[in-house]
Amino acid sequence: MAAPLRFYILLSLTLISTHLTTIHGVFSEQSHIMLPTYHHHTEKMTRLHFFYHETLEPQNPTVVQIIDPPNSSKNAFGSTFMMDSILTEGKELSSKPVGRAQGLFGLASLEDSGMVMLINFVFTEGDYAGSTLSLLGRNPVQDTVREIPIVGGTGVFRFAKGYAILKSLWDISSAKDFVVEYNITVSHP
């Protein structure tokens, strides 16, 4: 068989198989690949409860804007902020510090106040001192209560996975201190 003829046959078969897969594509498919399991460790379930304080005082803010979108941006779309905010045991800013929330967030929705957030919770107290949890996901800040995934961690929380329930405490927040209650549930080795 001549080389050009082989080329055209292979090209035709490739195009036909690609066409069939895209016409009959599916949103999701179950994989039958079995991943290895590790029987030598057990998963622990840990629940954490703390309060996040975003301080907006001009002389000592814990959140700063690092990207300012163009004036034509709808809903301030594209505004991006960096944070290093305190986490406390109680609702009051004066209560015992348990860590820091370090990361960034940006306004990522043209339709509402939805943000995309990446936060590393750096714990400084108790059994979790020196460990971190990483939160990454959409935060619809206009909702009082919302859920965001926990996607990993370090130290005690290495290989962590779970979720965080956030509740904005509008009644005790002010223009200088925005308070959010966090209830986090994670599984980890």
Side-chain angles (χ1 to χ4, degrees):
M1 191 182 292
L5 181 59
R6 268 188 270 164
F7 171 76
Y8 287 117
I9 290 173
L10 285 174
L11 178 64
S12 297
L13 289 172
T14 303
L15 290 174
I16 289 169
S17 66
T18 304
H19 178 71
L20 289 174
T21 11
T22 55
I23 289 176
H24 302 292
V26 293
F27 175 67
S28 67
E29 187 175 303
Q30 181 70 39
S31 171
H32 298 290
I33 297 172
M34 298 299 291
L35 297 174
T37 57
Y38 301 97
H39 299 288
H40 62 276
H41 79 275
T42 57
E43 291 281 313
K44 299 175 192 169
M45 182 74 69
T46 299
R47 290 186 174 86
L48 300 165
H49 178 250
F50 53 82
F51 296 86
Y52 162 91
H53 295 268
E54 187 173 286
T55 305
L56 302 173
E57 294 179 10
Q59 65 273 17
N60 195 21
T62 63
V63 174
V64 295
Q65 186 169 4
I66 58 173
I67 298 175
D68 192 13
N71 289 338
S72 61
S73 175
K74 183 179 174 185
N75 289 335
F77 177 74
S79 296
T80 307
F81 302 83
M82 189 69 66
M83 75 172 77
D84 184 4
S85 298
I86 193 165
L87 305 174
T88 61
E89 195 172 66
K91 292 179 186 182
E92 299 77 24
L93 183 57
S94 60
S95 67
K96 180 181 179 182
V98 295
R100 307 287 302 182
Q102 298 171 332
L104 57 95
F105 60 91
L107 296 173
S109 176
L110 290 169
E111 302 303 320
D112 58 25
S113 299
M115 297 179 177
V116 63
M117 295 187 75
L118 168 58
I119 301 176
N120 289 304
F121 296 112
V122 181
F123 298 105
T124 56
E125 285 297 316
D127 295 338
Y128 310 122
S131 297
T132 67
L133 280 173
S134 296
L135 174 144
L136 173 63
R138 184 176 194 278
N139 183 357
V141 292
Q142 73 277 0
D143 298 342
T144 298
V145 178
R146 53 243 187 239
E147 179 180 342
I148 304 178
I150 298 293
V151 297
T154 63
V156 171
F157 297 118
R158 189 175 292 138
F159 294 113
K161 57 188 178 286
Y163 63 95
I165 301 295
L166 290 65
K167 181 180 181 187
S168 295
L169 301 181
W170 305 111
D171 57 329
I172 64 169
S173 292
S174 68
K176 294 183 181 181
D177 184 33
F178 181 61
V179 184
V180 179
E181 181 178 15
Y182 275 82
N183 282 290
I184 294 179
T185 302
V186 290
S187 61
H188 56 98

